[in-house]
Amino acid sequence: PKGKGKLPFVALYLFGDASGEGLGSAFWDGQGVSYEAGTWSSEIKERSSNYREARNLATRFQRLGKEGLLQGREIFLITDNPVFECTFYKGHSTSELLNEIVFEIREVEKDTGCILHIIHIAGTRMKSCGIDGLSRGDFLEGIMRGEDPLKFLPLNEDAISRSEGRVSEWVESW
């Protein structure tokens, strides 16, 4: 409500990707994109790609939480790593390192009161939206070029609509 010191309810989007050498993420709040890109330390380079993908997003998510940007908000964390998404929703993994990351994320979720969704998208979609390029030093594709981030997340469309005729509705009659 206005005047009560609360932020307006807004969905936020955090895209992230990691390569063997680098990492990148882009945070979109509906008004602008804030991005980060860098290279991994030699210690992190030795870890699995599943760990690097999760660590990249978790670190940025934690920082956004500490900055107060997640308070009471709904966050869509976008990854092309299905292992990270599954570990988050399942709640655990055989990897202790991924378990730690999920615990860290859940703590931020609890502390900020945010609603978190982790969504897996295809690697090809991650490339076209420009986030894949951030981990490789390319800042000229998709979102980074100024395109609307929601163009790459058709959350308002069902599979049949997105398939361009490759999927059809199947109805069983009784």
Side-chain angles (χ1 to χ4, degrees):
K2 274 189 164 179
K4 299 278 185 181
K6 284 189 151 191
L7 296 171
F9 186 80
V10 175
L12 306 172
Y13 301 85
L14 177 59
F15 297 78
D17 195 39
S19 65
E21 297 291 321
L23 63 137
S25 64
F27 176 68
W28 184 61
D29 63 2
Q31 296 182 0
V33 173
S34 166
Y35 73 91
E36 295 180 355
T39 57
W40 293 113
S41 68
S42 56
E43 177 188 342
I44 302 292
K45 282 181 195 177
E46 302 301 317
R47 304 244 186 234
S48 74
S49 61
N50 290 330
Y51 174 82
R52 288 190 311 269
E53 294 267 353
R55 173 51 56 210
N56 176 35
L57 283 165
T59 300
R60 184 84 188 267
F61 183 71
Q62 289 171 306
R63 210 168 36 253
L64 292 167
K66 286 179 184 170
E67 293 169 4
L69 297 172
L70 306 180
Q71 290 299 129
R73 303 291 185 94
E74 187 164 17
I75 317 301
F76 293 87
L77 217 121
I78 313 301
T79 181
D80 63 356
N81 186 313
V83 172
F84 175 45
E85 179 196 39
C86 289
T87 299
F88 177 77
Y89 287 113
K90 188 177 179 182
H92 65 89
S93 166
T94 56
S95 166
E96 286 186 35
L97 293 173
L98 283 178
N99 286 338
E100 288 175 22
I101 290 172
V102 168
F103 181 74
E104 292 169 10
I105 288 172
R106 291 292 190 187
E107 279 189 312
V108 173
E109 190 179 26
K110 176 184 65 76
D111 293 344
T112 63
C114 72
I115 300 168
L116 178 63
H117 309 278
I118 296 183
I119 298 176
H120 168 261
I121 64 172
T124 52
R125 192 176 294 270
M126 191 67 79
K127 287 178 183 175
S128 65
C129 78
I131 304 306
D132 179 78
L134 284 176
S135 66
R136 292 168 175 76
D138 179 3
F139 302 92
L140 301 174
E141 298 293 324
I143 295 167
M144 301 310 300
R145 189 175 58 206
E147 292 185 52
D148 181 358
L150 293 181
K151 171 183 171 184
F152 305 99
L153 296 173
L155 300 175
N156 62 329
E157 298 177 24
D158 61 24
I160 294 168
S161 302
R162 288 192 322 265
S163 74
E164 298 174 349
R166 294 184 302 263
V167 175
S168 61
E169 188 171 346
W170 179 72
V171 179
E172 184 176 327
S173 60
W174 293 88

